[in-house]
Amino acid sequence: MHRHLTPPSIRPPFGRYHHAVEVTGPGRLLFVSGQLGMAADGSVPEDPAAQAEIAFANVEACLEQVGMGREHVVRLTALLTEAEYRVPYMAVRDRWVADPPPASTLFIVKALALPAFKVEIEAVAAAPV
């Protein structure tokens, strides 16, 4: 159902992701809205890595609600408010993603919904019917 692609004619990815993921056949798609580093109790840690951990846990909760897991994620998009947060974010992402890793894009943005937020992660997952 998924084919992970890194075409030999282009430079390999900079990190633990693929340039593309093809999804074929009958299946289900799940589009996960941007998840922030906010815990269920409303707390937001200062540390960007801690925010990334919470955001990925929130993505995982959405996956689990429909019977999917990390292995079904075919695309991640991350938004960070500072370039210096790349390394801690990528360390968390690299531990979180399943093998083979999904397609992934990282944006550095001026701001997220509230000043306390430093990391936002959205995902697309695909699984058989």
Side-chain angles (χ1 to χ4, degrees), residues 13-96:
F14 287 109
R16 193 161 180 263
Y17 64 91
H18 281 89
H19 283 304
V21 178
E22 178 185 37
V23 178
T24 59
R28 300 177 297 135
L29 293 176
L30 176 69
F31 296 86
V32 181
S33 294
Q35 297 299 306
L36 297 162
M38 182 188 312
D41 66 4
S43 63
V44 179
E46 179 69 22
D47 179 56
Q51 287 194 23
E53 293 279 359
I54 293 169
F56 275 115
N58 293 343
V59 169
E60 194 151 14
C62 293
L63 293 166
E64 289 173 351
Q65 189 167 7
V66 298
M68 291 186 187
R70 298 174 189 190
E71 70 277 11
H72 296 108
V73 173
V74 295
R75 174 129 178 86
L76 287 173
T77 302
L79 299 96
L80 308 177
T81 58
E82 297 288 340
E84 67 195 55
Y85 301 155
R86 280 184 312 211
V87 171
Y89 160 75
M90 290 170 67
V92 174
R93 180 203 63 194
D94 290 353
R95 285 192 310 273
W96 188 85

Side-chain angles (χ1 to χ4, degrees), residues 107-120:
F107 293 100
I108 307 300
V109 298
K110 185 173 182 172
L112 295 172
L114 293 173
F117 299 132
K118 298 176 179 177
V119 177
E120 185 169 346

